[in-house]
Amino acid sequence: MKNVPVEMRRVFTVVGHNGSGKTVLGDAVLSEIGVVSRIGERFLDHDKISQEKGASISSSVATFEYADHRFTIIDTPGFGDFVSDTMNAIFVAENVVSVVNATAGVEIQTERTWRLARSMGKPIMVFVNQMDKERASFDSTVNSLKEAFEERIAPIQLPIGEEADFKGIVDLIGLKAYVLEGEKVVEVEVPPDLKDRVEELRTSLIEDIVETDDELMEKYLEGEEIPPEMIAKAFKKAYLAAEIVPVLCGSALKGIGSKQLLDTLISLGASPLDMPGVKALTIEGENEVVVKPDESEPLVGYIFKSVVDPFVGKQSFVRIFAGNLKPGDTFVNGDSEEKVTHVYVAVGKNTEEVDRARVGDVVVLLKLKRSAVGDTLCHKSRKLLIMGPEYPEPMISKAVNPKSKGDVDKISNGLARLADSDPTFKWEFDPETGETVISGLGSMHLDVMVDRLKRLFGVDVDVGNPKIAYRETIRSKAVAEHKHKKQTGGHGQYGHVKIELEPLPRGAGFEFVDKIVGGVIPRNFIPSVEKGIREAMKKGVLAGYPVVDVRVTLFDGSYHEVDSSDISFQIAAIQAFKKGMEAASPVILEPIMEVEIFVPNESTGDVMGDITSRRGRPMGMESVGRGVDKIVAQVPLAELLDFSARLSALTSGRGYFIMKFSHYQEVPPDVQQKIVAERKREEGE
């Protein structure tokens, strides 16, 4: 690929709800330059799982040249479970194209991706797609945009016909029409029956533009003729400042509107030089700096996507924000240093080697050893950490166990590499329950990760709900003693302890108090008593869960000059603790999570009711704008295992939540009975 000036580079991310036609629009765009021969083949969906599902479940990238400009399109998933891919794609692009289905209008992911783009300061343009489908309506779609977003929504195109009669578009700025004739879209005169409507919409568009510029507004109100170049300049300025949202239309499947989208990105879209730069922290000192899109500056890049390929190795997709990178260069990532052997640009599943990556480029680097998604690549003279998106916390967890014992080691390696490629996917081995637990943003997210684990690393697993890390404690004081006395052929065993157990405040842990006086137990055996008690606390008397929040006081006992030993006092302490705990009103504790739930206004009551039915305690509710409420509640973890699916059902897929551990609290008696019964059943199997 030839080098082009930075101002002639366009990186745009295509976002929207699943089924809006984002990937097919990618086909249509790539057909303009001959990369795709047949629109509808979903060229960008080269991930095998995406192909099988017929829907994008990961982002994909294609760099190409058109009209002396270099474009990079990033297609994104339309499912909320894979929002980290979408967040990263928005973060590294200057332009966001929101694809909206003309038959459905604004949908769940339209709203969510719009908010993400605005939170990152990105300009948005809309492509109203599928104008040829039954029940398609351009006017209804534009109205739904105006209702959903309190912004200046400005159509710059008008469809010629709708549904089965749709055959082209009118450019309101250039006053040209483009219609499908045979298999090609050709330029024609504006249809006479549309001229009045075109003039009306064009006047409205110009008014929207001049309202964003005080000088132009004054000229307009005074009836002065405003030169087209001034209108164009003001339009681009307003678009870049997120003061106006241009709306285009077409049918990606028929190739109508795709060329005009590229032309609009050339005339109106942002180049790297049009944006203020990205924020970063200096690794030493954590001072905030702004990375400007300057090729003369030292290298700064950001890994926004990683692909695990069993044949090629790890592929890291990097956006260059400053400087340049060529084969043979080295860069640093934190304290690690890596060397670049080759630099590629991606065109779907294919790659093309280039001699240098420059500002505004999206490139692929192979087999980076210590770099993951979200990492910053820098020249060693400029160690920075780019302040990337804040990813949502996992909402759902599952336990996975390899079906083959030979895969125990392979599963850790596979999960670690998958986690490197997706910052919203977490995993850990819980030594307490003996389970490997994976966590993600939804059932589909985890299903895909399990599928990838099998395809890429050959590890087949059983999947189930994770075990809850319950605890046990006591509610009252109790005194207990145990005398361990055993006589064998030689030396016997003798240890005798008297202890008092009492509850501690929640979260206090364990406290051991030594009140032995007069040498009734020699000092060298006191640590053995504490060791025995700690050992006994690993398994409580109710269901075998670890014991917490207990103070144990050793106040009396006895010993034998010959038969006493460390092990004797350990055994005596273990038995005494068990007796004492049984007499001290033992109870099971469960983990309580603090949950923040984001729901549309109309679903707030239903979600509140569901939270209460899960033994949850609502702590507050507030509006966070755009028809969304935030509910804060404390809910037992055991009640949240299926909450993700239920929340999706209650909110038509529009709700989501984040949670973190809050504290442990006693379970109700009926719940405790069920836990104990289940534990006994497990031990009996």
Side-chain angles (χ1 to χ4, degrees), residues 12-15 21-24 26 42 44-45 56 58-62 73-77 85 89:
F12 69 104
T13 289
V14 182
V15 302
K22 301 182 302 299
T23 304
V24 178
R42 303 184 67 87
L44 291 173
D45 268 350
S56 304
S58 62
S59 61
S60 51
V61 178
I73 178 175
I74 309 175
D75 182 31
T76 64
D85 268 32

Side-chain angles (χ1 to χ4, degrees), residues 40-76:
E41 67 182 67
R42 303 184 67 87
F43 176 80
L44 291 173
D45 268 350
H46 51 85
D47 179 284
K48 282 188 171 62
I49 303 177
S50 294
Q51 292 172 354
E52 291 172 5
K53 290 182 176 293
S56 304
I57 52 90
S58 62
S59 61
S60 51
V61 178
T63 295
F64 58 95
E65 292 173 357
Y66 169 81
D68 295 326
H69 284 67
R70 177 178 290 188
F71 285 84
T72 298
I73 178 175
I74 309 175
D75 182 31
T76 64

Side-chain angles (χ1 to χ4, degrees), residues 13-17 20 22 74-77 86 89-90 96-100 109-110 113-114 117:
T13 289
V14 182
V15 302
H17 196 81
S20 60
K22 301 182 302 299
I74 309 175
D75 182 31
T76 64
T86 304
I90 292 172
V96 174
V97 177
S98 180
V99 182
V100 180
Q109 285 302 107
T110 315
T113 53
W114 195 292

Side-chain angles (χ1 to χ4, degrees), residues 607-624:
V607 174
M608 280 280 204
D610 187 73
I611 286 295
T612 304
S613 72
R614 294 172 184 271
R615 300 190 286 118
R617 186 160 64 101
M619 308 295 289
M621 187 273 289
E622 63 176 310
S623 174
V624 291

Side-chain angles (χ1 to χ4, degrees), residues 72-324:
T72 298
I73 178 175
I74 309 175
D75 182 31
T76 64
F79 295 103
D81 283 17
F82 308 100
V83 71
S84 66
D85 268 32
T86 304
M87 294 175 76
N88 276 325
I90 292 172
F91 179 72
V92 300
E94 278 78 41
N95 305 275
V96 174
V97 177
S98 180
V99 182
V100 180
N101 184 343
T103 68
V106 173
E107 297 179 271
I108 299 155
Q109 285 302 107
T110 315
E111 294 180 15
R112 193 173 187 185
T113 53
W114 195 292
R115 289 197 298 268
L116 287 171
R118 287 305 192 220
S119 70
M120 298 183 205
K122 305 293 182 174
I124 299 171
M125 63 178 66
V126 174
F127 187 88
V128 178
N129 194 24
Q130 302 180 14
M131 285 299 308
D132 57 323
K133 299 296 184 183
E134 186 179 349
R135 298 189 305 278
S137 172
F138 183 71
D139 289 343
S140 294
T141 303
V142 170
N143 287 335
S144 73
L145 288 164
K146 291 179 178 179
E147 290 172 5
F149 310 110
E150 297 175 1
E151 301 194 31
R152 190 177 279 110
I153 306 296
I156 63 172
Q157 294 174 355
L158 178 68
I160 302 175
E162 289 183 345
E163 301 185 35
D165 295 328
F166 176 70
K167 59 182 179 180
I169 58 176
V170 177
D171 173 9
L172 299 177
I173 299 175
L175 293 177
K176 298 176 182 178
Y178 303 90
V179 298
L180 183 65
E181 292 186 358
E183 295 183 353
K184 289 189 176 182
V185 175
V186 297
E187 182 181 327
V188 298
E189 293 294 320
V190 175
D193 61 327
L194 287 179
K195 284 190 175 180
D196 289 344
R197 181 81 196 282
V198 167
E199 186 59 36
E200 176 191 343
L201 288 177
R202 190 173 193 274
T203 300
S204 177
L205 172 61
I206 292 174
E207 289 176 351
D208 281 336
I209 295 171
V210 299
E211 283 177 5
T212 67
D213 188 292
D214 291 341
E215 181 183 351
L216 291 188
M217 189 65 179
E218 186 177 339
K219 289 179 181 293
Y220 185 78
L221 292 175
E222 292 177 356
E224 290 187 34
E225 187 72 25
I226 304 174
E229 58 270 19
M230 291 186 69
I231 294 286
K233 184 178 179 181
F235 195 7
K236 179 164 184 172
K237 181 181 177 183
Y239 164 74
L240 295 176
E243 294 177 351
I244 196 165
V245 179
V247 180
L248 302 82
C249 61
S251 167
L253 191 60
K254 291 186 175 180
I256 302 175
S258 53
K259 181 179 184 298
Q260 286 67 44
L261 172 62
L262 294 178
D263 291 338
T264 302
L265 284 165
I266 289 175
S267 62
L268 194 64
S271 78
L273 297 180
D274 291 318
M275 302 303 282
V278 295
K279 294 180 180 180
L281 296 174
T282 57
I283 291 179
E284 298 170 357
E286 294 191 353
N287 297 314
E288 187 174 310
V289 299
V290 175
V291 179
K292 298 291 186 180
D294 189 338
E295 198 168 310
S296 65
E297 290 289 320
L299 170 72
V300 180
Y302 180 82
I303 300 178
F304 70 95
K305 174 180 170 65
S306 179
V307 175
V308 181
D309 190 300
F311 304 106
V312 179
K314 184 167 70 173
Q315 297 174 291
S316 300
F317 289 71
V318 181
R319 166 65 200 260
I320 305 297
F321 283 111
N324 60 81

